[in-house]
């Protein structure tokens, strides 16, 4: 993982060199026209270059005029290059990750088998595999294609895809049956049914997305681009009108028109929203790159944007809100028995229980009463395994029968033997359920001794996270299979806004549709086939990489780490993308206002001396003012590239508060910084012009 992140560092030397080369290649008209605002600068640079050629062959224009036009032309070309550089750096980060993924895509030998008997038929090239083929993959062999495990269980190394070195278990049935081409079987064997056609594998999709080849502009991005184009057209009409107006005024006053074409070109470029126009594509690519670095594959830029607008989160309880495994918290005696007696028989009943819950019971008994030295190898112990029918487990030894299990099943067990199931025990069970815990009743020779309190452990810091999300206007809903009483207790302890108890595929789907009907954007995670309908309906659907193929196909994002908590990070990245775009748009428009005060008075002062009052920067000369504004217009793009790629600082506050903060920082900052920077550049330019 660290290696992958290292390849995505923004200031990597080789990446910057490649981006610099790409900046010149992107000067081709077919690339420039993709960005309408910067294409306007591109056309202006071409026009200025043609005017430079004309002035060089026109003696009466003189060296000074040619030098000024040359300076303007160079600055405009640099502006185009800086814009291309911003996009190339953003793309370079994705390409670096794509190269490591391509290394995992190898053409290997696939052992094809019969779909019914599973007997080997022929060895074939992995590139020849098609959907619904069946293949056998043995230990230490690479899985040649995406598919579903239909027989076998094996340890699989997925580090080529996820970057995580720890192997995972993939097996037939359940929600962990999906395998990805390019991963390696470490032990045992698997029979896999191919689920993707050649060239459409999960790895192919990943490479295409991180390279940016499949990146389409999002609706918000298109809408902003339309706004920027409209502003550019307005400024184009304004500039043309100013030229006509100045020519008419000069004719009336009987003087030569002081406004030249080159000055109007400079005015147009300075007034157009070139800053955000140059960085808009880089912001979108960088947002997807940040998501890739978080080990999440987004199937579209639209999904990332939607994550930023999400206001309802559906979160699984297990693994997201709780640690995932209930732990023994207390031994509660009933009917006159001692707590030590309950601990003793509870540990005996749990010696052979390899579940996390069973291990926690053994550990708690050791901790509280020093019960050690018992092992499952004791020949006197005859262990009774847990079954779905009995919902009990235990041990028989020396004529003693010890059991632990669900309250209702234990009640039937003791009553069938003629023993009583006391009201006191019922009350303890009810109290534990109300607290959000799981009660396990323990018995010895059909007599109830007490209850084990298994507690869901809420993850540290989760309550604070939900409070932060609430400040941002995001509603959190816990999804659990627990009964409503247990679900309510856990929801209260975790600090979620609401819960969906005894959740089924139908209830999840219904809940999402109800929220969407009210105008909300809903996000959820899932890993099983039964989650697919709800994932397909959700606006942001994060499927676990460890889950089924149906879940991954239904989602618009895939979490390669299969971490249920990743949804919170995805929302953060989506919001950061929107915040960055909004902040830099505010800064860009504010910049244009400041540049107006620099260049308008400089151009028209000779014709209208009264405009001197607008020259609040006290710039040295019209020539110096124009060059200073153009230089700032180009350099500010380079200065903002790190912010566009990294994103503005994420702040978990309400939308209104965030808007006010951005207006203050990027709005006022966008107004003030150009005044200071252009004045400083003017001093340098005027000094340089004086020396010449």
């Amino acid at each position: 993982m660290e290696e992958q992140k290292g390849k995505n560092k923004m200031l990597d030397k080789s990446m910057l060199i490649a981006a610099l080369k790409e900046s010149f290649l992107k000067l081709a008209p077919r690339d420039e026209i993709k960005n309408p605002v910067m294409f306007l600068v591109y056309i202006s640079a071409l026009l200025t270059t043609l005017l430079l050629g004309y002035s060089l062959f026109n003696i009466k224009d003189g060296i000074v005029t040619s030098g000024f036009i040359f300076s303007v032309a160079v600055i405009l070309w640099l502006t185009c290059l800086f814009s291309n550089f911003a996009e190339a750096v953003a793309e370079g980060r994705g390409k670096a990750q794509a190269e490591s993924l391509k290394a995992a895509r190898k053409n290997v030998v696939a052992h094809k088998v019969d779909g019914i008997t599973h007997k080997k038929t022929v060895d074939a090239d992995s590139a020849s595999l098609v959907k619904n083929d069946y293949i056998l993959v043995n230990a230490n062999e690479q899985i040649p294609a995406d598919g579903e495990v239909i027989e076998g269980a094996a340890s699989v190394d997925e580090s080529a895809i996820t970057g995580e070195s720890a192997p995972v278990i993939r097996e037939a049935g359940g929600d962990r049956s999906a395998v990805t081409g390019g991963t390696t079987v470490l032990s045992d064997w698997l029979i896999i049914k191919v689920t993707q056609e050649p060239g459409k594998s999960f790895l192919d999709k990943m490479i295409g997305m991180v390279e940016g080849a499949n990146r389409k502009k999002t609706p918000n991005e298109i809408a902003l681009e339309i706004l920027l184009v409209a502003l550019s057209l307005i400024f184009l009409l304004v500039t043309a009108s100013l030229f006509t107006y100045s020519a008419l005024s000069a004719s009336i006053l009987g003087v030569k028109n002081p406004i030249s074409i080159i000055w109007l070109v400079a005015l147009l470029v300075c007034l157009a929203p070139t800053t955000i126009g140059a960085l808009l594509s880089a912001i979108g690519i960088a947002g997807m790159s940040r998501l890739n670095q978080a080990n999440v594959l987004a199937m579209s830029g639209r999904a990332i944007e939607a994550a930023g607008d999400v206001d309802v989160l559906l979160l699984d309880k297990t693994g997201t809100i709780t640690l995932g495994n209930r732990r023994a918290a207390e031994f509660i005696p009933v009917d006159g028995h001692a707590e030590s007696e309950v601990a003793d028989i509870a540990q005996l009943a749990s010696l052979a229980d390899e579940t996390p819950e069973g291990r926690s019971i053994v550990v708690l008994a050791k901790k509280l009463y020093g019960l050690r030295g018992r092992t499952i190898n004791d020949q006197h112990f005859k262990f009774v395994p847990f079954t779905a029918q009995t919902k009990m487990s235990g041990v028989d030894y020396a004529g003693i029968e010890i059991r632990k299990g669900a309250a209702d099943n234990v009640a039937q067990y003791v009553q069938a033997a003629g023993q009583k199931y006391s009201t006191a025990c019922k009350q303890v069970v009810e109290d534990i359920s109300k607290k959000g815990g799981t009660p396990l009743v323990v018995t010895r020779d059909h007599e109830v001794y007490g209850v084990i309190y298994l507690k869901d452990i809420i993850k540290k810091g989760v309550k604070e996270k939900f409070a932060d999300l609430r400040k941002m206007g995001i509603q959190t809903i816990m999804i659990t299979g627990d009964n409503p009483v247990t679900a309510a207790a856990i929801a209260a302890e975790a600090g979620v806004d609401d819960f969906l108890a005894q959740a089924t595929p139908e209830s999840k789907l219904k809940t999402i549709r109800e929220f969407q009907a009210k105008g909300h954007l809903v996000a959820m995670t899932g890993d099983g086939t039964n989650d697919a309908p709800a994932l397909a309906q959700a606006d942001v659907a994060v499927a676990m990489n460890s889950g089924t193929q149906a879940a991954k196909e239904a989602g618009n994002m895939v979490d390669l780490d299969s971490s249920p908590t990743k949804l919170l990070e995805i929302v953060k990245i989506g919001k950061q993308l929107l915040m960055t775009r909004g902040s830099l748009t505010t800064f860009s428009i504010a910049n244009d206002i400041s540049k107006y005060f620099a260049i308008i008075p400089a151009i028209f002062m000779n014709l209208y001396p009264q405009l001197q009052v607008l020259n609040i920067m006290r710039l040295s000369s019209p020539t110096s003012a124009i060059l200073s504004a153009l230089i700032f217009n180009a350099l500010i793009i380079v200065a903002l590239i790190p912010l566009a790629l990294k994103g503005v600082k994420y702040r978990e506050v309400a939308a209104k508060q965030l808007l006010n903060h951005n207006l203050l920082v990027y709005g006022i900052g966008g107004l003030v910084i150009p005044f200071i920077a252009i004045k400083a550049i003017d001093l340098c330019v005027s000094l340089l012009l004086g020396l010449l």
Side-chain angles (χ1 to χ4, degrees):
M1 181 64 68
E2 292 300 321
E3 181 182 352
Q4 283 188 6
K5 289 183 178 179
K7 291 180 180 180
N8 284 297
K9 287 182 180 177
M10 184 179 63
L11 297 179
D12 182 85
K13 184 178 179 181
S14 60
M15 189 183 300
L16 291 179
I17 293 174
L20 188 61
K21 179 181 177 182
E22 190 69 19
S23 301
F24 285 92
L25 296 177
K26 285 178 175 288
L27 286 175
R30 67 176 181 275
D31 292 320
E32 291 289 343
I33 201 170
K34 295 176 183 177
N35 188 334
V37 176
M38 294 312 300
F39 186 64
L40 181 64
V41 181
Y42 181 75
I43 294 298
S44 299
L46 286 174
L47 177 60
T48 309
T49 305
L50 292 175
L51 290 173
L52 174 63
Y54 173 79
S55 67
L56 290 175
F57 289 100
N58 193 340
I59 304 298
K60 67 180 182 180
D61 281 343
I63 297 176
V64 175
T65 302
S66 298
F68 175 71
I69 298 175
F70 173 78
S71 301
V72 173
V74 169
I75 296 170
L76 293 182
W77 283 117
L78 286 175
T79 304
C80 292
L81 284 172
F82 292 159
S83 173
N84 293 344
F85 182 73
E87 185 175 22
V89 170
E91 290 175 344
R93 301 169 79 187
K95 288 178 180 178
Q97 189 178 9
E99 289 303 317
S100 65
L101 292 173
K102 286 178 180 177
R105 185 174 60 182
K106 298 176 182 177
N107 205 11
V108 297
V109 174
H111 311 304
K112 296 181 72 173
V113 298
D114 181 76
I116 299 175
T117 64
H118 297 167
K119 292 182 178 179
K120 183 177 176 181
T121 56
V122 67
D123 285 343
D125 193 280
S126 60
S128 66
L129 293 175
V130 296
K131 190 174 181 179
N132 296 326
D133 277 347
Y134 291 82
I135 52 176
L136 168 67
V137 185
N138 295 306
N140 300 315
E141 291 182 347
Q142 188 178 97
I143 297 174
D146 293 358
E148 290 274 356
V149 178
I150 61 170
E151 187 175 336
S155 176
V156 178
D157 177 10
E158 296 185 341
S159 59
I161 306 297
T162 67
E164 296 293 340
S165 57
V168 295
I169 301 299
R170 294 290 176 260
E171 57 189 344
D175 294 337
R176 298 186 179 272
S177 59
V179 291
T180 305
T183 58
T184 304
V185 174
L186 298 180
S187 67
D188 303 295
W189 53 270
L190 298 173
I191 292 180
I192 300 166
K193 180 181 179 181
V194 178
T195 56
Q196 295 291 342
E197 298 290 354
K200 297 181 180 179
S201 70
F202 186 65
L203 192 58
D204 290 321
K205 291 177 183 178
M206 283 187 68
I207 293 171
M209 290 303 299
V210 298
E211 278 186 323
N214 296 336
R215 193 187 95 87
K216 295 181 180 180
K217 292 182 179 179
T218 63
N220 285 351
E221 199 172 350
I222 293 172
L224 181 56
E225 194 169 82
I226 291 172
L227 173 63
L228 298 180
V229 170
L231 288 175
S232 300
L233 291 175
I234 290 172
F235 288 131
L236 180 62
L237 293 174
V238 168
T239 303
S241 301
L242 286 175
F243 179 75
T244 305
Y245 183 73
S246 64
L248 180 61
S249 299
S251 175
I252 293 173
L253 295 174
V255 297
K256 181 182 178 182
N257 186 1
I259 309 302
S260 66
I261 295 295
I262 196 69
W263 284 19
L264 290 174
V265 168
L267 173 63
L268 175 61
V269 171
C270 284
L271 292 184
T274 52
T275 304
I276 185 61
L279 298 173
L280 185 59
S281 181
I283 293 170
I285 296 171
M288 186 168 288
S289 178
R290 285 195 294 275
L291 203 63
N292 290 332
Q293 289 178 47
N295 257 9
V296 177
L297 173 64
M299 301 306 178
S300 69
R302 181 193 293 262
I304 306 175
E305 242 179 33
D309 287 327
V310 159
D311 56 359
V312 175
L313 293 184
L314 267 61
L315 304 162
D316 277 327
K317 181 200 73 174
T318 305
T320 304
I321 296 172
T322 66
L323 291 177
N325 299 314
R326 290 167 173 163
R327 297 178 182 176
E330 188 179 356
F331 299 117
I332 304 173
V334 296
D335 302 338
H337 293 287
E339 184 178 346
S340 58
E341 291 180 294
V342 179
D344 178 48
I345 63 174
Q347 187 187 64
L348 287 171
S350 304
L351 287 177
D353 187 348
E354 294 298 330
T355 65
E357 292 85 354
R359 296 296 86 207
S360 73
I361 294 171
V362 173
V363 170
L364 183 62
K366 286 181 181 179
K367 181 180 177 182
L368 295 180
Y369 295 99
L371 298 175
R372 291 177 171 83
R374 293 164 166 172
T375 68
I376 60 174
N377 297 321
D378 192 316
Q379 295 181 359
H380 298 288
F381 290 156
K382 180 182 178 182
F383 293 102
V384 178
F386 175 88
T387 66
Q389 290 74 30
T390 64
K391 291 187 178 180
M392 292 191 301
S393 62
V395 61
D396 295 337
Y397 75 100
I400 300 173
E401 189 174 304
I402 294 175
R403 296 290 184 269
K404 71 170 184 182
D408 291 344
N409 296 76
V410 171
Q412 294 176 9
Y413 165 75
V414 297
Q415 288 169 356
Q419 297 283 354
K420 68 173 183 177
Y421 184 77
S422 68
T423 304
C425 185
K426 291 180 182 178
Q427 187 61 50
V428 170
V429 168
E430 186 177 335
D431 291 342
I432 292 175
S433 297
K434 287 180 179 179
K435 293 178 183 178
T438 300
L440 291 180
V441 180
V442 290
T443 69
R444 174 172 172 164
D445 291 335
H446 300 88
E447 180 183 353
V448 175
Y449 269 57
V451 183
I452 306 169
Y453 177 11
L454 293 181
K455 185 178 181 182
D456 270 308
I457 307 300
I458 305 296
K459 286 187 175 181
K460 187 177 181 180
V462 163
K463 192 167 187 176
E464 289 75 14
K465 282 185 179 180
F466 291 149
D468 289 335
L469 290 172
R470 197 173 297 111
K471 292 177 184 176
M472 298 164 60
I474 298 177
Q475 182 179 358
T476 52
I477 299 173
M478 181 184 75
I479 302 175
T480 177
D482 293 331
N483 62 67
V485 174
T486 301
I490 297 173
E493 185 179 354
V496 295
D497 298 309
D498 202 351
F499 63 88
L500 177 63
Q502 297 174 329
T504 63
E506 294 77 14
S507 63
K508 293 178 187 178
L509 183 61
K510 180 183 178 183
T511 301
I512 292 174
R513 285 176 173 171
E514 287 175 350
F515 276 109
Q516 289 174 332
K518 296 175 183 177
H520 296 283
L521 286 180
V522 183
M524 75 162 288
T525 60
D527 58 1
T529 300
N530 61 351
D531 289 324
L535 287 171
Q537 182 67 36
D539 300 286
V540 177
V542 185
M544 301 293 103
N545 187 43
S546 62
T548 62
Q549 191 67 31
K552 289 196 280 189
E553 290 178 355
N556 50 26
M557 291 187 187
V558 177
D559 175 21
L560 304 181
D561 295 329
S562 300
S563 169
T565 59
K566 191 66 70 68
L567 183 57
L568 299 176
E569 188 173 352
I570 291 170
V571 170
K572 174 181 175 180
I573 292 172
K575 287 192 175 294
Q576 189 180 38
L577 169 65
L578 297 181
M579 288 164 55
T580 303
R581 187 185 296 157
S583 298
L584 292 186
T585 300
T586 303
F587 187 88
S588 178
I589 294 174
N591 266 346
D592 293 338
I593 297 173
S594 297
K595 286 180 284 185
Y596 168 87
F597 283 98
I599 202 167
I600 289 290
I603 292 178
F604 290 97
M605 244 181 338
N606 291 338
L607 191 60
Y608 301 105
Q610 297 88 343
L611 290 178
Q612 176 65 33
V613 70
L614 294 179
N615 186 20
I616 57 180
M617 296 188 197
R618 295 294 183 261
L619 301 179
S620 305
S621 66
T623 300
S624 174
I626 292 170
L627 291 178
S628 299
L630 285 175
I631 291 172
F632 172 79
N633 194 61
L635 293 181
I636 195 63
I637 295 173
V638 179
L640 291 175
I641 288 176
L643 182 60
L645 299 185
K646 185 179 180 181
V648 300
K649 186 177 180 180
Y650 176 72
R651 302 174 70 244
E652 294 168 330
V653 296
K656 184 178 180 180
Q657 186 179 345
L658 186 61
L659 175 62
N660 293 336
H661 176 269
N662 285 350
L663 288 176
L664 181 65
V665 174
Y666 295 96
I668 296 178
L671 285 171
V672 173
I673 289 175
F675 278 96
I676 300 172
I678 291 174
K679 180 60 179 178
I681 296 171
D682 173 69
L683 293 174
C684 298
V685 170
S686 60
L687 179 62
L688 183 61
L689 291 177
L691 293 175
L692 295 176

